[in-house]
Amino acid sequence: MRNLRLGKYVLPLFSVIAIVYLMIPIAYTFVFSFNDSQKTNLIWRGFTLDNWINVCQQQGVCEAFGNSVLIGVISTVLATTLGTMIAIALVRYRFKARSFVSLLIFLPMATPEVVLGAGLASQFFSIGAAKGIATIIIAHVMFCMSFVVVTVKARVASLDPALEEAGRDLYGSPAQVFWKITFPLLMPGILSAALLSFALSFDDFIITNFNSGPAMTFPKYVYTAAARGIPAEANVIGSGVFLLAIAIVVTVQIRGSLKARRLAKQK
Amino acid sequence: MARLAQEFIARGADLELVGIRKEFPGFTAIENLDLHIPAGEFFALLGPSGCGKTTTLRLVAGLDEPTKGKILIGGKDVTATKPHQRQVNTVFQSYALFPHMSVLENVAFGLKQRKIEDPMTKAVAALELVELGHLAQRRPQQLSGGQQQRVALARALVNRPSLLLLDEPLGALDLKLRRQMQIELKAIQMEVGLTFLHVTHDQEEAMDMADTVAVMNKGRIEQMGAPEKLYDRPHTVFVSKFLGQSNLFVGEVAESNASSISINVAGNKITVPTDRAEKHTGTIAVGVRPEKANFHETEPTAQAGLNLIGPGEIIDIRFTGVSNQYLIEIPGVGNVTVFAQNVGKSPVTELGANVWVSWKVEHSFGLSDLPENSATESISVI
């Protein structure tokens, strides 16, 4: 009885506190994107839509945002492609250094970002590569790839090899079997790996900061701006990204439940 | 159904395996396999798990390559060709239906790959053949096990292969559904006249459906023939045990003439017709099926043409429905199993009764090998 009462009141209260605690920074960012700020955006000075309407007016915000999207998209495409290939190879083929490669793939995930960033920076320096968007992309592909391999590998492992054999048996050439059977069945795994990749790349500050040179990314911009007060436009972009992410999640959920309901009805 | 089946009558081709050997790292799955399956036959490859039967099937499908030997389909050497270049289709054990396609798309897949005209119409006809036309738009996951099995069959049959391979296709179904599918599968095979190569570990299924059964063990074919013949006259201990049950008696050949051979087992004379024995000298194993043997509560008079051993004690009676299974311990001979039908009262005799066991000489069979750890003692094998 005692436990029951505890569950009835304490647990919901605890949950509410936890959620509020988690939401405060997000809510702050969102609310202050509407602040009629001047030099700093720390004190509420009144509601305005100007920041949202003229988001690109503040020097450098949109350029940094654009760079981050560009780097994110290119890194994601490269990391997802390479990572998927590695994942399939690691699950499906037996080769000499297989377990060694499996271990190596984990390393970038386990290494502290500071170490990874500094290490890469010194390598770029020693080969004389000029730092910029290209070096950021190389760095991002490197650490995103590990996450892609881990995500896609689980999907490949759960794929019944008999399905591909059935494809070959039904007159599919190796390439046709890959594109018509393997790829569509791995798609959910590849898609979530790509989303994760993009999120990691878009968000990354430490490694980027070491390897970017003069190139500006959104996290770097916010970090630099924080010294003299983050402009409200940064809040606008942050809130925008957050809302977009929520919208994607909600859409996927709704589609999923609609599909499940449709399947249930057919049955 | 008959009219539809007409559309699928294909040129069933014969299959020939010549000196096939398949090694995997660490073990040899198939030692030396020679096999000929005539066109249009329902052929069953029967054996315990790990005997190499599924490997054989995969070699024929082209999913694995033999280490040595040749594979000929319809007289053409296909050893070096890839699976998609062979006129062979497989019904996989797990069915392997593509989960991201509808039932209809699954069935049409092979036709589309080969750019056959009008794949959808043909796929619909194939689904009608297995009586699943009404489920064409469903996803495979929404079907029951039996329905999935039939979709897998339709997906293979629609391509009009020369040879259809079935890898334990009924293994995942429950007993009742399995019996029903056995009948349907056999009916479809007779109707379309295709060559079927059916791999199974279920001896009843193999005997029930196949024209010819090959019993496989440890990468070799132990014996091959019509189910009735295999059952009536197994050549090896393995076949006598794997296909039904057998009582085996081991003894030295004591008498031998043109028509019969007798062995001596602890003073009991057991006779087998010469032409039903694989080995005619030395120590041999002679067997009889439990349902061919009878027991008697009083000692019958010895007569020519009848093997008589005993007396022994009934030490176990098992009720199996239509019959009872009696285990009789005969001193010096070992345990003998006898089936007696429960036509009158059941059990026919009580536990502990003293009985004699007899069977007709013509029902004995002589084997080419001896049961393991038999030495000189005779044993019974259940």
Side-chain angles (χ1 to χ4, degrees):
Chain A
M1 281 314 278
R2 203 187 172 85
N3 279 341
L4 210 72
R5 214 173 305 143
L6 208 69
K8 209 169 174 183
Y9 300 109
V10 178
L11 199 63
L13 184 71
F14 182 78
S15 309
V16 168
I17 293 172
I19 289 172
V20 167
Y21 175 65
L22 288 172
M23 294 306 283
I24 284 174
I26 298 171
Y28 165 80
T29 306
F30 185 67
V31 170
F32 274 72
S33 70
F34 297 104
N35 188 14
D36 187 9
S37 67
Q38 281 152 16
K39 270 199 169 160
T40 62
N41 189 18
L42 294 171
I43 307 152
W44 185 255
R45 291 177 202 273
F47 182 85
T48 176
L49 283 174
D50 284 357
N51 303 328
W52 282 82
I53 295 162
N54 306 315
V55 69
C56 283
Q57 239 163 34
Q58 179 76 25
Q59 184 116 50
V61 175
C62 282
E63 193 202 332
F65 179 75
N67 280 347
S68 273
V69 170
L70 179 76
I71 292 164
V73 168
I74 296 176
S75 304
T76 298
V77 169
L78 290 175
T80 308
T81 310
L82 293 172
T84 302
M85 284 156 72
I86 294 172
I88 293 173
L90 284 177
V91 177
R92 281 294 152 80
Y93 301 98
R94 301 276 167 273
F95 51 91
K96 250 193 189 138
R98 183 166 156 265
S99 49
F100 185 62
V101 172
S102 278
L103 191 73
L104 275 185
I105 287 294
F106 269 98
L107 274 185
M109 289 163 74
T111 315
E113 282 199 55
V114 179
V115 178
L116 214 58
L120 269 169
S122 64
Q123 291 307 308
F124 286 134
F125 179 75
S126 69
I127 62 167
K131 285 181 189 166
I133 287 185
T135 50
I136 300 174
I137 289 173
I138 291 171
H140 284 195
V141 167
M142 193 194 73
F143 70 81
C144 286
M145 212 167 69
S146 301
F147 291 92
V148 174
V149 171
V150 171
T151 314
V152 178
K153 225 173 104 175
R155 188 81 195 175
V156 181
S158 70
L159 188 67
D160 183 3
L163 290 173
E164 285 163 312
E165 284 172 356
R168 290 160 68 196
D169 187 66
L170 292 165
Y171 312 102
S173 68
Q176 287 169 325
V177 169
F178 180 80
W179 288 114
K180 291 189 175 163
I181 292 158
T182 316
F183 188 71
L185 290 175
L186 292 183
M187 206 52 206
I190 294 174
L191 218 60
S192 58
L195 279 176
L196 183 65
S197 246
F198 184 81
L200 287 169
S201 164
F202 185 81
D203 195 44
D204 183 73
F205 172 71
I206 303 172
I207 295 177
T208 309
N209 199 36
F210 274 106
N211 296 289
S212 55
M216 191 53 85
T217 66
F218 184 65
K220 215 177 134 184
Y221 175 86
V222 174
Y223 178 79
T224 321
R228 53 187 156 81
I230 304 169
E233 284 79 2
N235 290 37
V236 171
I237 290 179
S239 307
V241 171
F242 175 75
L243 291 176
L244 187 69
I246 293 288
I248 290 173
V249 170
V250 168
T251 315
V252 169
Q253 289 288 343
I254 289 176
R255 266 193 60 187
S257 70
L258 280 181
K259 199 174 163 191
R261 200 174 303 164
R262 206 174 55 234
L263 287 182
K265 214 183 252 174
Q266 273 185 26
K267 202 155 206 173
Chain B
M1 186 160 146
R3 192 186 49 79
L4 279 166
Q6 291 290 320
E7 303 220 348
F8 293 97
I9 292 180
R11 336 132 286 264
D14 64 329
L15 169 72
E16 204 172 351
L17 303 180
V18 188
I20 293 287
R21 183 179 178 84
K22 177 64 182 173
E23 292 167 8
F24 288 107
F27 73 103
T28 304
I30 300 170
E31 268 182 33
N32 184 9
L33 186 68
D34 290 292
L35 188 64
H36 181 249
I37 302 175
E41 184 152 305
F42 198 127
F43 190 97
L45 211 49
L46 174 69
S49 52
C51 73
K53 56 188 195 300
T54 296
T55 306
T56 307
L57 200 83
R58 292 177 61 86
L59 293 177
V60 176
L63 296 170
D64 281 324
E65 279 174 39
T67 312
K68 246 169 66 182
K70 276 199 298 185
I71 299 165
L72 296 100
I73 295 170
K76 226 178 82 195
D77 189 343
V78 298
T79 318
T81 59
K82 297 270 174 252
H84 65 275
Q85 297 160 328
R86 297 188 188 186
Q87 268 293 327
V88 172
N89 287 107
T90 309
V91 178
F92 290 84
Q93 185 168 11
S94 57
Y95 314 139
L97 299 177
F98 306 132
H100 58 300
M101 299 179 193
S102 71
V103 165
L104 187 65
E105 286 168 328
N106 262 280
V107 177
F109 188 86
L111 298 172
K112 283 187 182 166
Q113 285 305 307
R114 288 190 301 158
K115 310 223 172 0
I116 304 263
E117 251 177 70
D118 215 358
M120 287 309 174
T121 316
K122 290 189 169 93
V124 168
L127 278 173
E128 300 283 346
L129 178 69
V130 295
E131 289 162 1
L132 284 180
H134 59 295
L135 298 178
Q137 296 311 323
R138 296 261 180 109
R139 295 268 161 162
Q141 308 88 288
Q142 296 172 281
L143 305 185
S144 70
Q147 290 168 337
Q148 291 188 23
Q149 206 281 334
R150 284 188 283 181
V151 174
L153 186 66
R155 187 176 71 170
L157 279 176
V158 75
N159 299 294
R160 308 181 182 204
S162 326
L163 182 62
L164 187 73
L165 307 175
L166 302 122
D167 184 7
E168 308 247 9
L170 309 177
L173 305 180
D174 62 53
L175 188 68
K176 201 178 155 205
L177 200 54
R178 196 152 75 220
R179 293 277 172 267
Q180 186 196 330
M181 283 306 300
Q182 281 174 7
I183 294 165
E184 284 186 27
L185 204 56
K186 180 73 189 167
I188 287 172
Q189 191 266 341
M190 303 236 275
E191 207 139 1
V192 298
L194 271 179
T195 317
F196 272 39
L197 173 54
H198 181 148
V199 156
T200 178
H201 65 264
D202 183 337
Q203 41 128 343
E204 275 182 45
E205 191 174 297
M207 290 198 281
D208 179 36
M209 296 166 79
D211 302 317
T212 307
V213 175
V215 181
M216 212 169 166
N217 184 31
K218 293 179 184 159
R220 292 180 304 112
I221 287 183
E222 291 257 345
Q223 194 179 344
M224 198 169 106
E228 300 82 7
K229 280 199 174 143
L230 279 188
Y231 186 80
D232 180 54
R233 188 142 132 50
H235 288 178
T236 66
V237 173
F238 181 81
V239 175
S240 78
K241 285 197 293 182
F242 200 77
L243 220 60
Q245 299 182 25
S246 294
N247 292 302
L248 298 184
F249 310 96
V250 179
E252 195 82 28
V253 173
E255 282 171 41
S256 163
N257 59 45
S259 65
S260 70
I261 300 170
S262 300
I263 60 168
N264 185 349
V265 184
N268 296 286
K269 186 175 131 181
I270 296 171
T271 308
V272 54
T274 307
D275 58 5
R276 285 176 61 86
E278 287 296 297
K279 219 176 126 198
H280 299 162
T281 53
T283 306
I284 65 171
V286 175
V288 66
R289 296 291 186 183
E291 74 279 8
K292 302 263 168 52
N294 302 303
F295 57 77
H296 315 270
E297 285 168 278
T298 54
E299 183 170 10
T301 48
Q303 46 178 291
L306 202 68
N307 283 318
L308 181 65
I309 57 173
E313 190 192 329
I314 296 181
I315 57 167
D316 189 33
I317 301 176
R318 285 192 191 176
F319 179 65
T320 60
V322 288
S323 68
N324 268 329
Q325 195 173 313
Y326 299 86
L327 193 63
I328 301 155
E329 187 182 28
I330 300 177
V333 177
N335 294 343
V336 178
T337 303
V338 175
F339 293 163
Q341 284 221 320
N342 292 324
V343 281
K345 67 175 178 125
S346 164
V348 183
T349 305
E350 298 303 324
L351 206 63
N354 238 14
V355 294
W356 283 261
V357 175
S358 77
W359 68 92
K360 287 181 182 165
V361 165
E362 69 205 60
H363 287 151
S364 301
F365 49 83
L367 304 177
S368 63
D369 55 350
L370 298 174
E372 270 176 57
N373 52 43
S374 65
T376 53
E377 291 254 329
S378 68
I379 57 155
S380 90
V381 179
I382 298 171

